[in-house]
């Protein structure tokens, strides 16, 4: 128990010991939020609370995994069935839905569609309804549907449309959900809204999970949307042992439907709530902290707090105005050269900007001068075409009704099957109530398909049948290798070319990923979701395993389903991937390269030195926020997050003129610069745009 409280301050200890009832922790940047949350879980278990009665919710899989590892170090967890459930809202809901799928009209092997899958389905639905993609942007339609789902609006709940566009969205939304149901599939947003629906319509099921999860902890509470907020309240409704931690000053994901007001309203929802503030900062210097505080206090909608630190005063915030974006890039590089001479490594340095478009002049200058760099936020591993192709093969094996996956691979590798033949195949399946897998084996019986694509589809079905037979005997890695060899995917990639070789390297990396499932997940056991009631005995768990195995015809499908679920639930930050200066896209870990990323990507990270570039009106704050006080406050929070990523130094730059998005305009310094206390600012002595320590905006 003693090691749990080691190195914690008074307020952190109070938070860790706060056991019963609702608790709100207001935790500023660098205040040891993760350590507090982790040790609280360890303390609860050490105090006699059953681990299986604890639910801890994080916003990334990476954070969940780190929390699990830290807890194990403190207390050790020997029984794999008796441990707290730690995960994201989406992963936890996926587990619940797999347990209760039949109540909502799904089977437990339902597919989780990612954004590309959703887009493919949306386009099909729009085509079926006669809506042209030229007139209605599928991306925009999906964003509207996502927002409706985050607000818990079901198709049947939609109010009378106010205009033609809303009418179109309503029609597409309704048809889109029907197609998902037919395909035994859900999208990312469904994981939340369907779980809420499950609980609201089935009180006995809700009570079961309330009895199991007697203690609920939620990290980054400022980022929950309406659906996540409602889900949390439902689960905590009986015991009210709800522990949330967050910071309204760091709420920057409104575009993902996050609503910081949910955190502001916590005391209204739970009048008896205990409020604890974590105000000691362990990350930054006094100067950096003062700069952030001076900025963020101008927001109205926030929790008041006064951050402080025992760290040194540190160097002042450097502010420089340059002639244009090229001079800005040159200035940044010169400063970085100076810093490396003082002992900083390149990966100690990060450049933050409001939008990815700002990276272009920086990249050009880095390439010219031979500086190694990486851009955070490039195409992630599981989003690459070759990986999605093989994943689609696995998904159609796990879920024979998965239309989107079959649509992706029916002609991959090329089989001479056109779109018309595929449409007729799927029409035949619907009319005869066949699943898509079986329909391929009946392709020779479909009259309105020409001979060549007909036999190609039949051969494709026989290939899938042959692969499916191997599920019973092959581990996941061996199964994937068998698929790749059986369909001739290596030849399809044309590894003699540079692009083809790089894609093949990614396939080999997929083999590496799959190996952990060979060893960690017993065949036939992974299908069982690790959620059990308080009374579950070892005997009952064995029975559950037996039931689970007997309900699945192929013994290996549980492992495959677990793999597919985890792939689908991987979030943007899990892990950080990057585009490097040589154009390659790969996993980046601790490489000695300068890092570039948007301010949104920087959330949750820290660096010794931060360069915040493009501090101009129209960029930060963004032009779309200038006439909206609520959005302007979010832009200020975004700037605050950027400044408080720094441990030792902050350099801020803005330009007299900037060419971006194809337009050159005169730059006005960001209003946020005027909100930083002057006593912690150091104007660059070489700048021609300062007078009497005041910023001059030239027009």
């Amino acid at each position: 128990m003693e090691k749990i409280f080691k190195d914690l301050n008074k307020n952190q200890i109070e938070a860790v010991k706060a056991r019963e009832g609702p608790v709100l922790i207001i935790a500023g940047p660098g205040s040891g939020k993760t350590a507090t949350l982790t040790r609280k879980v360890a303390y609860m278990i050490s105090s006699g609370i059953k681990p299986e009665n604890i639910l801890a919710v994080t916003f990334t899989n990476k954070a969940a995994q780190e929390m699990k590892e830290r807890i194990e170090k403190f207390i050790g967890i020997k029984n794999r069935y008796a441990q707290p459930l730690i995960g994201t809202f989406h992963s936890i809901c996926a587990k619940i839905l797999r347990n209760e799928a039949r109540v909502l009209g799904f089977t437990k092997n339902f597919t989780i569609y990612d954004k590309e899958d959703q887009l493919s389905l949306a386009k099909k639905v729009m085509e079926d309804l006669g809506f042209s993609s030229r007139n209605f942007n599928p991306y925009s339609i999906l964003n509207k549907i996502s927002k409706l789902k985050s607000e818990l609006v079901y198709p049947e709940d939609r109010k009378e449309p106010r205009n033609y566009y809303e009418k179109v969205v309503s029609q597409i939304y309704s048809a889109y959900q029907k197609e998902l149901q037919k395909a035994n599939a859900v999208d990312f947003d469904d994981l939340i809204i369907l779980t809420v629906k499950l609980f609201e319509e089935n009180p006995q099921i809700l009570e079961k999970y309330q009895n199991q999860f007697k203690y609920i902890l939620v990290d980054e509470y400022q980022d929950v949307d309406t659906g996540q907020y409602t889900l949390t309240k439902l689960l905590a409704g009986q015991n009210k042992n709800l522990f949330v931690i967050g910071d309204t000053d760091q709420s920057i994901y409104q575009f993902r439907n996050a609503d910081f007001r949910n955190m502001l309203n916590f005391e209204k929802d739970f009048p008896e709530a205990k409020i604890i503030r974590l105000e000691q900062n362990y990350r930054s210097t006094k100067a950096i902290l003062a700069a952030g505080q001076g900025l963020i206090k101008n927001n109205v909608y926030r929790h008041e707090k006064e951050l402080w630190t025992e760290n040194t005063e540190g160097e002042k915030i450097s502010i420089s105005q340059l002639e244009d974006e090229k001079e800005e890039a040159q200035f940044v590089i010169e400063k970085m050269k100076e810093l490396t001479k003082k002992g900083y490594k390149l990966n100690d340095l990060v450049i933050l900007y409001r939008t990815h478009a700002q990276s272009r002049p920086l990249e050009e200058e880095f390439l010219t001068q031979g500086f190694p760099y990486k851009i955070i936020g490039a195409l992630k591993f599981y989003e690459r075409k070759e990986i999605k192709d093989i994943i689609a093969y696995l998904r159609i094996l796990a879920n024979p009704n998965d239309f989107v996956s079959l649509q992706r691979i029916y002609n991959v590798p090329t089989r001479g099957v056109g779109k018309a033949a595929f449409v007729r195949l799927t029409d035949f399946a619907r009319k005869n109530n066949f699943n898509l897998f079986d329909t391929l084996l009946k392709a020779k019986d479909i009259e309105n398909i020409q001979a060549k694509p007909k036999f190609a589809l039949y051969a494709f079905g026989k290939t899938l049948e042959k692969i499916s037979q191997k599920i019973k005997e092959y581990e996941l890695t061996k199964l994937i290798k068998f698929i790749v060899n059986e369909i001739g995917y290596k030849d399809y990639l044309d590894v003699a070319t540079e692009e083809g070789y790089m894609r093949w390297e990614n396939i080999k990396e997929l083999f590496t990923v799959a190996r952990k499932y060979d060893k960690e997940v017993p065949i036939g056991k992974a299908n069982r979701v690790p959620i059990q009631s308080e009374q579950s005995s070892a005997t009952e768990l064995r029975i559950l395993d037996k039931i689970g195995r007997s309900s699945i015809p192929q013994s290996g499908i549980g492992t495959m389903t677990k793999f597919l679920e985890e792939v689908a639930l991987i979030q943007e930050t899990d892990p950080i991937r990057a585009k490097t200066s040589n154009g390659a896209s790969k996993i980046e870990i601790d490489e000695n390269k300068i890092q570039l990323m948007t301010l949104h990507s920087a959330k949750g990270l820290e660096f010794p030195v931060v360069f915040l570039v493009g501090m101009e009106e129209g960029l930060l704050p963004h032009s779309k926020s200038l006439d909206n006080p609520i959005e302007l406050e979010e832009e200020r929070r975004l700037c605050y997050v950027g400044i408080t990523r720094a441990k030792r130094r902050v350099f801020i730059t803005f330009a007299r003129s900037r060419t971006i998005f194809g337009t050159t305009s005169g730059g006005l310094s960001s209003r946020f610069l005027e909100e930083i206390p002057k006593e912690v600012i150091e104007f660059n002595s070489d700048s021609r745009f300062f007078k009497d320590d005041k910023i001059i905006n030239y027009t």
Side-chain angles (χ1 to χ4, degrees):
M1 186 77 76
E2 186 178 338
K3 65 179 180 180
I4 292 176
F5 298 108
K6 187 179 179 182
D7 301 324
L8 296 183
N9 63 44
K10 178 183 174 184
N11 287 25
Q12 289 172 327
I13 292 172
E14 184 184 4
V16 168
K17 288 185 174 181
R19 178 165 160 171
E20 305 293 329
V23 181
L24 171 64
I25 308 297
I26 301 168
S31 61
K33 173 173 67 65
T34 303
T36 303
L37 191 60
T38 301
R39 299 200 197 190
K40 179 168 181 65
V41 176
Y43 174 75
M44 291 168 73
I45 296 171
S46 300
S47 301
I49 293 174
K50 293 180 179 179
E52 58 267 35
N53 291 150
I54 300 172
L55 172 65
V57 187
T58 67
F59 265 78
T60 68
N61 293 305
K62 182 173 180 285
Q65 186 57 39
E66 287 176 353
M67 185 179 291
K68 291 175 187 176
E69 291 169 359
R70 291 192 189 189
I71 292 169
E72 263 192 71
K73 286 180 181 178
F74 279 114
I75 59 171
I77 298 176
K78 298 177 183 177
N79 187 343
R80 65 187 289 255
Y81 294 118
Q83 53 183 288
L85 181 60
I86 303 173
T88 65
F89 274 108
H90 295 92
S91 67
I92 289 163
C93 286
K95 288 175 169 62
I96 293 171
L97 289 176
R98 292 221 186 268
N99 278 358
E100 315 295 344
R102 295 194 182 280
V103 178
L104 295 170
F106 295 90
T107 65
K108 68 191 307 178
N109 64 324
F110 61 78
T111 302
I112 302 172
Y113 281 179
D114 64 16
K115 289 193 179 300
E116 188 175 330
D117 301 324
Q118 294 172 46
L119 184 63
S120 177
L121 183 60
K123 287 179 176 177
K124 176 193 177 296
V125 167
M126 290 173 65
E127 187 178 320
D128 290 346
L129 293 173
F131 296 121
S132 170
S133 296
R134 293 190 299 272
N135 299 326
F136 300 97
N137 187 330
Y139 292 97
S140 298
I141 296 288
L142 277 175
N143 284 336
K144 290 286 185 184
I145 292 173
S146 178
K147 185 168 177 60
L148 288 168
K149 288 184 178 182
S150 77
E151 295 171 349
L152 299 179
V153 178
Y154 303 90
E156 60 270 25
D157 296 335
R158 296 244 29 213
K159 298 177 181 177
E160 189 66 29
R162 292 174 297 181
N163 50 51
Y164 181 65
Y165 184 75
E166 282 195 0
K167 186 178 180 181
V168 170
V169 171
S170 183
Q171 286 181 261
I172 295 172
Y173 184 13
S174 181
Y176 173 81
Q177 289 303 114
K178 288 177 182 176
E179 288 297 319
L180 282 172
Q181 190 90 35
K182 286 180 188 175
N184 191 36
V186 300
D187 66 20
F188 210 56
D189 297 305
D190 282 334
L191 294 172
I192 307 295
I193 191 172
L194 288 178
T195 306
V196 171
K197 184 183 181 75
L198 174 75
F199 288 163
E200 289 180 335
E201 296 181 354
N202 302 274
Q204 73 283 4
I205 294 177
L206 172 61
E207 187 179 2
K208 178 176 73 172
Y209 289 100
Q210 287 176 335
N211 289 334
Q212 179 176 341
F213 302 127
K214 298 181 185 305
Y215 298 88
I216 300 169
L217 304 91
V218 184
D219 193 13
E220 306 287 1
Y221 196 67
Q222 77 280 349
D223 292 330
V224 299
D225 61 27
T226 301
Q228 294 160 346
Y229 167 77
T230 303
L231 178 68
T232 303
K233 285 189 68 179
L234 284 168
L235 282 171
Q238 180 172 289
N239 300 296
K240 293 187 168 47
N241 296 322
L242 178 59
F243 181 98
V244 304
I245 187 166
D247 182 12
T248 48
D249 291 340
Q250 297 184 75
S251 178
I252 59 173
Y253 296 126
Q254 188 178 352
F255 67 95
R256 295 179 185 169
N257 303 315
D259 190 345
F260 67 94
R261 291 172 297 185
N262 292 323
M263 185 167 176
L264 287 176
N265 290 333
F266 190 85
E267 294 166 77
K268 293 181 182 177
D269 295 333
F270 303 96
E272 71 278 28
K274 186 172 187 175
I275 315 298
I276 302 171
R277 288 172 167 78
L278 303 185
E279 297 177 311
Q280 182 175 359
N281 176 283
Y282 295 93
R283 175 187 300 159
S284 307
T285 64
K286 287 183 172 70
I288 293 171
L289 214 55
Q293 289 280 93
L295 175 72
I296 201 63
K297 71 179 184 182
N298 293 281
N299 273 5
V300 176
Y301 301 103
R302 60 187 294 266
H303 284 118
E304 289 289 339
K305 60 183 178 299
E306 198 63 41
L307 298 184
W308 61 277
T309 183
E310 292 179 347
N311 295 339
T312 63
E313 183 65 34
E315 297 189 60
K316 292 183 176 183
I317 311 299
S318 172
I319 299 182
S320 304
Q321 183 176 17
L322 292 309
E323 183 68 30
D324 53 26
E325 70 273 13
K326 182 175 178 63
E327 189 175 284
E328 181 182 57
Q330 292 170 342
F331 173 83
V332 168
I333 286 181
E334 288 306 309
K335 287 296 177 185
M336 287 184 165
K337 287 178 180 178
E338 292 175 13
L339 290 165
T340 55
K341 289 178 182 178
K342 294 178 180 179
Y344 287 96
K345 296 182 295 185
L346 291 180
N347 59 3
D348 289 334
L349 317 175
V350 67
I351 301 174
L352 304 179
Y353 37 70
R354 180 62 176 83
T355 174
H356 270 304
Q358 293 172 251
S359 74
R360 179 195 55 80
L362 292 159
E363 285 193 79
E364 289 176 356
E365 202 61 37
F366 286 147
L367 290 168
T368 300
Q369 299 202 30
F371 260 66
Y373 70 92
K374 63 181 182 180
I375 297 181
I376 305 300
L379 194 62
K380 294 186 284 292
F381 181 75
Y382 291 109
E383 293 176 351
R384 296 168 194 165
K385 178 188 181 304
E386 59 277 14
I387 302 301
K388 289 183 73 69
D389 286 347
I390 303 305
I391 294 290
Y393 273 88
L394 293 174
R395 285 168 48 168
I396 195 65
L397 292 170
N399 178 9
N401 284 312
D402 188 346
F403 167 84
V404 170
S405 291
L406 188 63
Q407 185 184 44
R408 181 179 187 91
I409 59 172
Y410 74 85
N411 203 38
V412 175
T414 306
R415 300 185 175 91
V417 180
K419 183 178 178 182
F422 180 71
V423 169
R424 287 167 186 150
L425 179 96
T426 55
D427 285 345
F428 181 85
R430 286 196 181 94
K431 287 177 183 176
N432 294 278
N433 200 28
F434 295 146
N435 70 52
L436 295 170
F437 193 115
D438 290 341
T439 305
L440 288 169
L441 297 174
K442 301 178 186 295
K444 291 191 293 186
D445 301 329
I446 305 175
E447 296 180 354
N448 57 349
I449 301 179
Q450 294 182 358
K452 185 178 178 181
K454 179 186 296 190
F455 283 95
L457 287 168
Y458 173 75
F460 178 40
K462 295 299 289 185
T463 299
L464 290 178
E465 185 180 48
K466 183 178 180 180
I467 295 168
S468 70
Q469 292 169 355
K470 301 299 181 184
I471 296 175
K472 300 176 184 178
E473 55 187 280
Y474 284 179
E475 293 179 320
L476 184 61
T477 306
K478 192 174 180 180
L479 178 65
I480 293 174
K481 287 182 177 180
F482 184 79
I483 292 171
V484 170
N485 292 332
E486 193 66 23
I487 66 176
Y489 199 75
K490 187 175 181 179
D491 292 336
Y492 170 71
L493 292 176
D494 191 6
V495 295
T497 66
E498 184 177 355
E499 181 183 353
Y501 182 77
M502 288 176 63
R503 292 188 182 280
W504 178 244
E505 288 284 292
N506 288 330
I507 293 293
K508 290 195 291 184
E509 181 63 20
L510 183 63
F511 300 156
T512 303
V513 173
R515 283 194 192 102
K516 79 170 188 175
Y517 294 87
D518 297 340
K519 294 182 174 64
E520 292 183 5
V521 186
I523 295 284
K525 197 176 265 191
N527 59 288
R528 190 180 63 77
V529 176
I531 295 179
Q532 64 282 334
S533 70
E534 178 183 30
Q535 295 81 22
S536 295
S537 65
T539 303
E540 288 172 322
L541 291 168
R542 285 194 293 273
I543 292 170
L544 284 171
D545 279 342
K546 186 176 179 180
I547 293 171
R549 284 195 296 272
S550 66
S551 66
I552 295 179
Q554 302 118 330
S555 62
I557 201 157
T559 301
M560 190 166 67
T561 300
K562 180 176 175 64
F563 169 70
L564 293 172
E565 180 173 302
E566 292 192 1
V567 167
L569 292 172
I570 287 176
Q571 310 244 337
E572 190 173 312
T573 55
D574 306 333
I576 292 175
R577 301 178 185 272
K579 180 181 75 176
T580 64
S581 49
N582 64 10
S585 184
K586 63 177 187 176
I587 300 173
E588 299 286 343
I589 302 174
D590 296 328
E591 291 195 38
N592 194 25
K593 297 178 179 178
I594 297 165
Q595 300 168 92
L596 296 85
M597 67 184 79
T598 65
L599 286 158
H600 286 103
S601 299
K603 176 72 164 57
L605 304 177
E606 59 180 37
F607 305 89
V609 182
V610 167
F611 286 82
L612 188 49
V613 301
M615 281 288 289
E616 299 142 27
E617 291 287 294
L619 278 179
L620 187 65
H622 197 278
S623 57
K624 66 181 182 182
S625 70
L626 298 180
D627 297 323
N628 188 318
I630 299 295
E631 291 184 5
L632 188 62
E633 287 209 354
E634 175 143 339
E635 293 292 301
R636 186 177 283 108
R637 292 194 293 269
L638 198 56
C639 185
Y640 173 75
V641 165
I643 291 172
T644 56
R645 297 312 90 195
K647 295 180 180 179
R648 302 175 203 165
R649 298 292 309 272
V650 175
F651 294 86
I652 296 175
T653 62
F654 60 104
R656 181 180 179 182
S657 68
R658 185 178 300 274
T659 301
I660 192 169
F661 309 124
T663 303
T664 301
S665 58
L668 296 176
S669 65
S670 169
R671 68 189 68 192
F672 299 153
L673 293 180
E674 299 174 11
E675 297 172 357
I676 299 174
K678 297 295 185 289
E679 59 270 20
V680 297
I681 291 177
E682 178 182 60
F683 295 117
N684 176 36
S685 59
D686 298 330
S687 177
R688 294 159 291 172
F689 304 105
F690 295 106
K691 184 178 180 181
D692 299 326
D693 282 349
K694 291 184 179 179
I695 302 167
I696 301 173
N697 281 312
Y698 288 89
T699 57

